Amino acid sequence: MPFQAATATPRRAMTPAAFVRSVVAAYARYGRDPAEALSKGQVLSDLVGSADGRVTAAQFEALAGHAMRELDDEALGWFSRRLPFGTYGMLCRASITAPTLEVALKRWCRHHRLLTEDVLFELAVSGETATISLREQRDLGPLREFCLVTLLRYVLGFSCWAVDSAIALRAAEFPYSEPGHVSVYPTIFCKHVRFDADAARIVFDKHYLSLPLTRSAADLDSMLKGALRLTVLPYRRDRLLVERVRRVLREARGRILGAEDVASELALSTRTMHRRLREEATSLRDLKEEAKLELAKQELMRGRTPIKRIAELAGFRNEKSFSRAFRSWTGASPREFRDRYR
């Protein structure tokens, strides 16, 4: 079910009525009656036409799942041809045997073209980020938003499931104007959302691409029995959270960052950040000490920066406290360490 947050409470109504109307539009395209599907999702007729109505994850899962089977189209009318029920399961099977997420996503992009060329997936890596984008090859009409949001949520949900890790998005962009239900986008994707972009895309840390796939064929069989839940699995453990914290601390270079500052950079609550770090058998305090040591060692090995300045960059109040801490870390004073390196 592509329209609930990965950490949303299942009973909370978050999916906009606009997406319900998109499912109803698929029935209209095929000249079918959506009454049974709406009944399966316990969606009242008044809500279908509501400007600001919402349904729960369970309601939309029941509605969309019934529609895909009844219309035999997992694309729900987006494309110039049907995608028979089970199509995206085949796409998952083609990707699940990959050794890493990067290889799996490259397969996903390539094999999706076998399903349709109306929309093309593309994976690009630049600097520290990876981007999955969608290139539209035909006019998607009134189903455009529903299609692009769903496709990005499908590939994001599969990726999280495949590597058993939350994937924290840095940004999400969409090539249409801000919709009336814009408030749901930060929940679906991330807080950095932009509209009127040149294409639909999601951006994340490239290091996720190196994570190995941890799922077996048997795991996939089990997941596909409830495939629409793929994007709402509660992935709270981010296997790169420690690396992301380290990066924030490295980039501080002398700025004193509190827990609130670090959590804000990660788009997490302070409480959640501390809990997740405990799950990874570390703490913000330990990572801060590690970051100070690494920065100090790098500067000392360069051999040019005065030790007083290195103490400031590492976040110490004076050279004396820095020297005391450095000796406790390494067994040597900063000057002794520099001399040994030389």
Side-chain angles (χ1 to χ4, degrees):
M1 202 294 302
F3 310 115
Q4 297 288 127
T7 57
T9 302
R11 295 177 182 175
R12 187 181 175 193
M14 291 293 297
T15 303
F19 295 142
V20 174
R21 288 192 288 276
S22 294
V23 177
V24 172
Y27 275 90
R29 173 178 177 177
Y30 292 119
R32 303 285 295 274
D33 184 355
E36 187 174 344
L38 291 171
S39 176
K40 292 286 185 181
Q42 299 180 352
V43 178
L44 301 178
S45 57
D46 289 348
L47 186 138
V48 176
S50 171
D52 57 359
R54 297 283 192 273
V55 296
T56 66
Q59 284 179 285
F60 196 84
E61 180 184 340
L63 167 69
H66 186 86
M68 289 176 182
R69 287 178 172 84
E70 190 171 32
L71 300 176
D72 194 26
D73 184 4
E74 287 195 343
L76 292 175
W78 309 328
F79 303 137
S80 52
R81 62 178 292 267
R82 293 177 191 261
L83 298 189
F85 189 78
T87 297
Y88 279 97
M90 293 175 59
L91 192 60
C92 291
R93 293 188 188 282
S95 304
I96 196 62
T97 57
T100 65
L101 181 60
E102 181 172 13
V103 176
L105 288 175
K106 286 179 177 178
R107 289 182 185 178
W108 188 285
C109 294
R110 183 171 64 252
H111 294 149
H112 199 273
R113 295 189 178 204
L114 300 176
L115 310 182
T116 179
E117 292 196 349
D118 293 350
V119 174
L120 303 181
F121 274 94
E122 296 175 338
L123 173 66
V125 180
S126 177
E128 292 297 309
T129 63
T131 301
I132 299 173
S133 57
L134 296 171
R135 181 151 50 94
E136 300 170 62
Q137 301 289 87
R138 67 182 286 267
D139 183 4
L140 298 173
L143 297 179
R144 187 187 193 195
E145 180 193 8
F146 182 50
C147 171
L148 298 179
V149 168
T150 305
L151 290 177
L152 288 178
R153 284 297 306 176
Y154 276 171
V155 70
L156 178 61
F158 170 78
S159 298
C160 291
W161 174 83
V163 299
D164 189 24
S165 173
I167 295 177
L169 298 183
R170 292 192 176 192
E173 299 181 351
F174 301 92
Y176 44 77
S177 299
E178 180 180 295
H181 45 268
V182 63
S183 61
V184 78
Y185 272 76
T187 305
I188 298 173
F189 292 102
C190 60
K191 69 177 183 178
H192 299 294
V193 180
R194 185 168 73 91
F195 296 95
D196 295 315
D198 61 334
R201 60 176 62 89
I202 51 176
V203 183
F204 53 94
D205 190 313
K206 73 173 185 180
H207 292 90
Y208 286 108
L209 295 178
S210 63
L211 290 178
L213 270 64
T214 63
R215 305 295 188 171
S216 66
D219 293 331
L220 182 60
D221 290 338
S222 178
M223 182 274 287
L224 289 176
K225 293 176 182 177
L228 284 177
R229 301 188 193 103
L230 182 64
T231 58
V232 290
L233 290 174
Y235 283 106
R236 298 184 177 92
R237 184 170 71 96
D238 183 348
R239 292 167 66 189
L240 284 189
L241 182 62
V242 169
E243 285 303 316
R244 293 170 63 213
V245 172
R246 283 176 175 144
R247 189 172 301 114
V248 170
L249 295 174
R250 281 198 301 268
E251 293 172 355
R253 294 190 65 82
R255 287 189 299 123
I256 305 300
L257 298 182
E260 295 81 4
D261 302 314
V262 177
S264 178
E265 288 290 326
L266 301 173
L268 296 172
S269 70
T270 305
R271 182 178 179 181
T272 298
M273 178 187 69
H274 284 310
R275 175 176 55 77
R276 293 186 184 177
L277 289 176
R278 284 197 302 271
E279 291 172 357
E280 302 264 344
T282 188
S283 68
L284 182 60
R285 180 178 179 178
D286 289 344
L287 293 176
K288 280 185 173 183
E289 292 295 295
E290 176 189 288
K292 288 180 178 181
L293 172 61
E294 290 306 313
L295 175 64
K297 288 168 66 176
Q298 289 173 12
E299 293 296 335
L300 288 168
M301 286 187 291
R302 289 193 179 102
R304 296 185 299 273
T305 309
I307 291 177
K308 182 178 181 180
R309 175 56 181 158
I310 295 175
E312 293 173 353
L313 289 174
F316 287 88
R317 293 180 180 178
N318 53 57
E319 184 178 339
K320 185 177 180 180
S321 61
F322 167 60
S323 296
R324 186 166 53 247
F326 193 85
R327 183 178 289 277
S328 72
W329 293 333
T330 65
S333 71
R335 284 183 174 81
E336 289 170 343
F337 181 88
R338 176 176 277 174
D339 291 342
R340 290 176 187 173
Y341 181 76
R342 285 174 175 171

